[in-house]
Amino acid sequence: MGKAALMTKWLREVGVDFVPRSLPKDKRLPGSSSEGAETLDEILRELAGCGRCVLSENRSRIVFGTGNPSARLMFVGEAPGAEEDRQGEPFVGAAGKRLNRWIESIGLAREDVYIANIVKCRPPGNNVPKPEEAQLCMPYLVRQIRVIRPKFLCTLGATAFKYMLGVDERITKARGRWREWDGIPLLPTYHPAYILRNPSSEEEVMEDFKDLARRLSLLET
Ligand code: URA
């Protein structure tokens, strides 16, 4: 199976009906028109007490997502870590502080964007989420994206990139190159935790954020 077919298959499995780009915007995602659309609160309520996968067994809290429900820019990370599990909010530990710095570097605040993860419960030992865990949890992320309808998506790290697009490419090659997720431009960049370990790569992240800022400002003109 070719890359495009694999991606389509994966997106279908996580709840995205693949629709060719040429269709009008309002036809792209069934249920995505504002009429009768669900809210983030409704999705959160549905998630309460979730026991769909083994990650629920060790979590303290479901880490749903945070930020502006009408954000133009949405970040997708991998999974909650220890601090996120304690506080119930994504990216509040050391990696989160670095992400905040990047967001502020383009004149935005954390409250201006929306931040969520591929899976909403902390994998024990901070393991990478398994495909079956991602597959069970991602329909909630897909629904969050449908409600928020950001103008741009930015994946943080290899795992979010791989699961969002259903591809297995090296993040070192993929970062900084725009893709598309169901009609929404998506920019993959490095994960802030990776940058904490490899500070010399932060320059590339700064380029990616400048690119995001440029695109966001183009929207305003
Ligand atoms: N890393 C992630 O990918 N997500 C978080 O919420 C925290 C750390």
Side-chain angles (χ1 to χ4, degrees), residues 63 77-81 84 89-92 95 117 191:
V63 179
E78 176 178 317
E84 290 75 21
E89 185 172 326
F91 284 99
V92 287
N117 284 309
H191 195 285

Side-chain angles (χ1 to χ4, degrees), residues 106-150:
I106 57 168
L108 295 174
R110 186 177 164 92
E111 296 70 33
D112 295 322
V113 302
Y114 197 89
I115 309 172
N117 284 309
I118 294 289
V119 296
K120 309 226 177 299
C121 298
R122 182 192 182 200
N126 292 343
N127 287 332
V128 172
K130 297 192 171 81
E132 60 270 26
E133 294 156 358
Q135 196 171 331
L136 285 165
C137 206
M138 275 190 70
Y140 296 99
L141 175 66
V142 169
R143 285 164 62 187
Q144 283 171 292
I145 299 171
R146 286 176 178 178
V147 170
I148 296 162
R149 298 162 70 108

